[in-house]
Amino acid sequence: MKRLLPAVSAAATIFLVAVCLRPAITAVGPLLPQISATEGLGEAAQGLLGALPLLAFALVSPQVHRVSGRLGMERAVLVALLVLAAGTLARSYSGHAGLWAGTLIIGCAIAVGNVLVPAIVKRDYAADVSRATGFYTAFITVSASLASAIAVPVADAVDWRLSLALWAGLALVVAAAWAPRARGPAVIETGGPRGDVAVWRQPRAWLITAFMGLQSTCFYVFVTWLPTIEIAGGVSERTAGVHLFVFQGMGILGGLAIPVLLREPGRRSLGALVASLPVIVAVAGLLLAPGLAVLWAAIAGLGQGASLVAALTLISLGGRTSAETTRLSGMAQSLGYLLAAGGPVAAGVLAERTGAWRATLVMVVVLGVLQAVAGLAAGRVPRGQTLGSRS
């Protein structure tokens, strides 16, 4: 027991890393009016500022395996946490240029965590990857929701710069907790000389990537536009904000529940389908019965939380080794977040061109259906077969 507890404690620090992967991003949205007033940002610039971390995810994710290949995964995560803290401080206190440079640095640092955490979960929790992934995403969702909730109150009490900068402290605390894992010799797995080629040429890897990208796109469309869509339908601004909190909160429940359907290989297709259906139902509800907006927000949140866990589980279980999983994670998150960055923009363009939000909601229904199809196909992995296996 004395040997077991330190091992469990060390493994559990991965959930602390998860807490750092969203607050520096989700705290920005509620503060955009204050940031734009201080920095003189127009609507287009505000949209670019919000999309910049996602673009960084897309650019950096495919290269993360090279960093972890040189440093080892533990040291790469430690460096990412320290860079995240530095970028968060630079964004607040380095002037106008620092606002943009710091935001880009934050996105690059978080991309490293996004890619490596599924590989570490696969290694440390091999006996129950889906449940560990559920807890990991719950930590992400809770911290993201908390950051959104306290951003404005802290800014009103002090200013928006401190409201954003305080998350640098969290990154430093987690880095200190993670540091013991990075002190030993670097454990570096290799995926073979053709590992990169094998992943990018595997049809199943593309299906997993499609599922990851489509669920991310739906999520960011909801986060960006759900309050606006509801306000256009007659919901007050305050109520729409509460509904967005409900959306994020229900994601925790969805993420913790879906592992029941993801543990057995033969049920993963069903799990991916079940995770996808609530989004389709919720958007159809917004189209047909907008007066029940809070119900549809809750249902959409369940689906989004479940879909993220399903996507990360498929990634974690997709490779034979941690190195191969890292490559798959980089591929899925690079292309997935590139697609996600365009989703809110496309949604806004459709609304502007049509003068209403119906076309945007129809677009999300189509994305949800495609997500369900991709999940069904990606989940059909014969027992014992992974991406690297040959049929």
Side-chain angles (χ1 to χ4, degrees), residues 246-266:
V246 169
F247 169 79
Q248 293 178 313
M250 293 301 288
I252 300 171
L253 298 181
L256 292 175
I258 198 64
V260 173
L261 294 177
L262 297 172
R263 292 173 191 160
E264 296 297 326

Side-chain angles (χ1 to χ4, degrees), residues 85-114:
T88 303
L89 291 174
R91 178 177 61 181
S92 290
Y93 299 115
S94 297
H96 187 77
L99 174 68
W100 294 95
T103 299
L104 182 61
I105 291 169
I106 287 167
C108 293
I110 292 176
V112 175
N114 284 343

Side-chain angles (χ1 to χ4, degrees), residues 317-345:
L317 296 173
R320 295 166 299 180
T321 66
S322 295
E324 192 171 69
T325 301
T326 300
R327 291 183 172 88
L328 172 60
S329 184
M331 172 186 175
Q333 298 201 47
S334 172
L335 298 182
Y337 283 118
L338 185 62
L339 179 62
V345 176

Side-chain angles (χ1 to χ4, degrees), residues 141 145 215-216 218-224 226-227 230 240-254 279 282 293-305:
T141 305
S145 301
Q215 69 84 23
S216 294
C218 291
F219 173 77
Y220 283 104
V221 169
F222 273 115
V223 168
T224 303
L226 182 60
E230 291 190 359
V242 172
H243 290 180
L244 184 60
F245 180 79
V246 169
F247 169 79
Q248 293 178 313
M250 293 301 288
I252 300 171
L253 298 181
V279 171
V294 66
L295 174 62
W296 309 131
I299 292 174
L302 283 171
Q304 283 300 301

